Each structure stands twice: as C-alpha cells, then as structure tokens.
Amino acid sequence: MRVVLAEDLFLLRDGLVRMLEAFDFEILAAVESGPELTEALAELEPDVAVVDVRLPPSHTDEGLQCALAARRARPGLPVLVLSQHVEQLYARELLADGNGGVGYLLKDRVLDAEQFIDAVRRVAAGGTAMDPQVISQLLSRRAQDKPIAGLTPRELEVMELMAQGRSNAAIAGQLVVTERAVAKHTSNIFAKLGLPVSDDDNRRVLAVLAYLDRG
C-alpha cells in the first residue's frame, strides 16, 4: 500500500516511516510542510495520506486544508489526520462530504503500533477511523440534543464503536452480542437520526456527521 506522510517533527516522521515500512507499506514521500504535501499528493497519487493537522508555514491547520483540497481534486482520496488535541471542527471538515476514507486520530494512538496500522488500513479501504476520545466528546456535548437523547445506552455504545470505523462483527465481539443484534441497533440508530434506508455504504459516516451538524 502506497503512502504519503506529512509530519513536521523529524523524530516522529522518521518513526512513522519506520513503523509503516515494517508493516509493508511503501512510503512514496515523507514531507514536512504544506506546500510539499500538496505537491506530493498531486503528483504521486497515494493509496492513503497520513497527515499532521499542523504543518509549516502556518502551523495552524495547513496539513488538514492541504489534504481536503487534494480530496476535492481526487474524491475519495483516503486521508488519516493526526492531531495533538481533539478539534471538533477538524472532524466536521473531514466528514463534510459524507464519504468514507477518512480518519482522525490523536497522536498518542501512534504509540500503539497495531492500533495505528489498523486505522491506516481501514481508512485506505474506504472506512473511517475516528479517535475514541473524539467520539466520546461529541457524544457528551450533544447528550442533550433530541436525536441523541432518543438513543438507548446500548445504541450509544454501538454508535461510538461504529463511528470509530468498527465493523458489525468487531462491534459484536467487543460488546459480546450477536452480529444480528448489532445490525438491529444500527438500523435503529439510522432511523432515529433520520437517515433513510439506502444502498449507500456510508450511512455510518453520515450518522457521525448528523451529530456534528447539530448544536
């Protein structure tokens, strides 16, 4: 799998390169600034981009904006964003097009190699990988909103795992229930959030977006 990596801190960038290569990823480019990232994404057409939110020269959200611009030019380009802190606005921007292939992880997650690599692979495959802490804050902040208030405690558990990008099988395993039970919960969640029955596989992304768009 071919990767473009953007991280301005040399030690972290070098560590990520070594980790990804150890899991058989091919690093097409490992860059340290927004302009370099823009050029690499346009020219190299990677299978997935792993991008630090804050990059030179602005050190604000340049990495995210470069990745989003590349995603507009190439719809569906998988992008996994790494951030030091939870920023709901960033999560909203990533999910705004309603498509999959996006992820938002806190940098602390990189310390767990298997968890990080699993997230990269899920995003590259068109899924989502939202940091549990991001989802937890979203659920907490919108606990009083009507759509969330209508979810049962079990549906909230399923919603949180679903938003992290977990499959029904993985959710069933973690909650020690059957896949059929998980499917029923997800169906109820979609109904309560007003997401109509569709062949669109990205209703999971839309469910997360529904939370972000309220409040």
Side-chain angles (χ1 to χ4, degrees), residues 170-185:
I171 294 172
Q174 184 157 340
L175 297 182
V176 195
V177 298
T178 64
E179 282 190 58
R180 185 175 180 180
V182 174
K184 182 178 180 181
H185 288 310

Side-chain angles (χ1 to χ4, degrees), residues 29-56:
V31 302
E32 59 180 316
S33 72
E36 289 176 307
L37 174 61
T38 296
E39 183 177 350
L41 292 177
E43 294 184 356
L44 301 177
E45 298 188 351
D47 298 315
V48 59
V50 179
V51 177
D52 182 10
V53 167
R54 300 177 188 273
L55 289 175

Side-chain angles (χ1 to χ4, degrees), residues 56-205:
S58 68
H59 287 288
T60 54
D61 64 348
E62 187 148 354
L64 174 68
Q65 296 306 327
C66 290
L68 292 175
R71 197 170 155 88
R72 286 192 291 272
R74 180 186 156 192
L77 168 67
V79 174
L80 174 61
V81 167
L82 302 178
S83 178
Q84 196 71 39
H85 308 287
V86 176
E87 296 283 355
Q88 291 189 50
L89 176 61
Y90 297 162
R92 179 184 289 110
E93 289 189 72
L94 271 175
L95 293 163
D97 63 9
N99 295 316
V102 293
Y104 185 120
L105 290 185
L106 296 182
K107 288 187 175 179
D108 290 347
R109 307 294 174 191
V110 174
L111 299 176
D112 186 327
E114 291 190 1
Q115 186 179 55
F116 172 67
I117 293 299
D118 177 62
V120 176
R121 286 176 173 156
R122 274 190 282 134
V123 169
T128 58
M130 304 303 289
D131 194 284
Q133 191 171 335
V134 174
I135 299 304
S136 177
Q137 289 196 17
L138 293 175
L139 294 176
S140 176
R141 289 200 175 194
R142 281 149 176 76
Q144 302 304 315
D145 290 354
K146 189 174 179 179
I148 293 181
L151 300 183
T152 66
R154 178 58 92 182
E155 288 167 351
L156 284 171
E157 288 182 291
V158 172
M159 173 69 204
E160 183 169 349
L161 292 169
M162 185 171 65
Q164 290 173 27
R166 301 296 175 184
S167 66
N168 280 5
I171 294 172
Q174 184 157 340
L175 297 182
V176 195
V177 298
T178 64
E179 282 190 58
R180 185 175 180 180
V182 174
K184 182 178 180 181
H185 288 310
T186 56
S187 179
N188 289 340
I189 290 169
F190 294 150
K192 290 179 180 179
L193 293 179
L195 299 172
V197 176
S198 162
D199 292 332
D200 185 354
D201 291 332
N202 293 320
R203 281 203 297 170
R204 289 169 180 264
V205 176

